[in-house]
């Protein structure tokens, strides 16, 4: 593996059994490779992300790929490789990770782990709200966020 793969992110689609792997070519240049876990083959075509990205997730219902950039989430159709939408968050410091509620209606984005902000994006309306959470000690540099199966609790 090159050093770019070490700084990348991964997301998996249960529906299509595709694994998305990002590679950092330089700070503002990423590409996403698509690995088919059924055939164990890597697709020839990649998805170009011409900005800094820190995470990605697959929508559990429609299969779209959500890319976390600084202050925005870009929605990509992984079949056509087309960028479908961009969701802006009002104020962000450092976004680290994101996860969906099981039904895909909410996307939770972890921002500035030392301050503890979770951006909650309604994926239908794109309305963004925020909640503050307390992180301290060992967990102050958290870089993961997970939702319970019903989406009522975020960890």
């Amino acid at each position: 593996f090159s050093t770019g793969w070490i700084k990348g992110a991964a997301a998996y689609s249960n529906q299509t059994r595709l694994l998305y792997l990002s590679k950092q070519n330089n700070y503002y240049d990423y590409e996403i490779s698509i690995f088919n876990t059924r055939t164990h083959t890597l697709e020839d075509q990649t998805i170009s992300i011409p900005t800094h990205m820190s995470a990605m997730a697959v929508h559990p219902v429609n299969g779209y790929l959500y890319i976390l950039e600084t202050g925005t989430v870009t929605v990509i159709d992984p079949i056509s490789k087309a960028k479908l939408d961009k969701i802006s968050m009002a104020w962000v410091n450092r976004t680290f990770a994101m996860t969906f509620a099981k039904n895909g209606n909410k996307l939770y984005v972890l921002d500035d782990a030392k301050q503890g902000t979770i951006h909650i994006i309604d994926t239908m309306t794109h309305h963004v709200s925020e909640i503050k959470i307390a992180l301290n000690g060992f967990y102050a540099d958290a870089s993961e966020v997970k939702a319970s199966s019903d989406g009522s609790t975020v960890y």
Side-chain angles (χ1 to χ4, degrees):
F1 288 109
S2 71
T3 56
W5 291 104
I6 293 170
K7 297 179 181 181
Y12 182 72
S13 171
N14 286 327
Q15 294 172 334
T16 61
R17 297 190 56 194
L18 296 175
L19 176 63
Y20 302 95
L21 302 163
S22 75
K23 178 182 177 188
Q24 181 181 5
N25 296 320
N26 63 53
Y27 191 79
Y28 291 109
D29 181 24
Y30 281 71
E31 64 185 41
I32 297 172
S33 297
I34 303 169
F35 182 76
N36 186 319
T37 62
R38 284 178 287 205
T39 62
H40 299 279
T41 57
L42 195 61
E43 287 188 9
D44 291 333
Q45 188 178 18
T46 62
I47 301 170
S48 176
I49 307 296
T51 187
H52 183 78
M53 64 172 280
S54 56
M56 65 180 149
V58 176
H59 191 284
V61 177
N62 64 26
Y64 290 154
L65 193 57
Y66 283 62
I67 306 298
L68 182 57
E69 302 166 1
T70 304
T72 62
V73 174
T74 299
V75 183
I76 296 174
D77 179 348
I79 305 300
S80 68
K81 316 283 190 280
K83 292 179 178 130
L84 304 175
D85 210 348
K86 200 166 228 175
I87 304 167
S88 294
M89 293 173 274
W91 184 90
V92 297
N93 188 12
R94 296 181 302 159
T95 50
F96 292 102
M98 62 184 170
T99 192
F100 281 99
K102 186 176 182 178
N103 62 5
N105 65 344
K106 300 276 191 251
L107 177 64
Y108 301 96
V109 178
L110 176 62
D111 182 10
D112 195 8
K114 292 189 191 298
Q115 296 290 319
T117 300
I118 299 283
H119 301 278
I120 305 165
I121 300 171
D122 182 311
T123 58
M124 297 300 292
T125 66
H126 294 181
H127 177 264
V128 181
S129 56
E130 286 86 21
I131 58 172
K132 296 285 186 185
I133 55 173
L135 295 175
N136 55 41
F138 180 74
Y139 300 103
D141 289 322
S143 61
E144 295 264 349
V145 61
K146 301 292 181 196
S148 61
S149 61
D150 66 358
S152 64
T153 305
V154 178
Y155 301 94

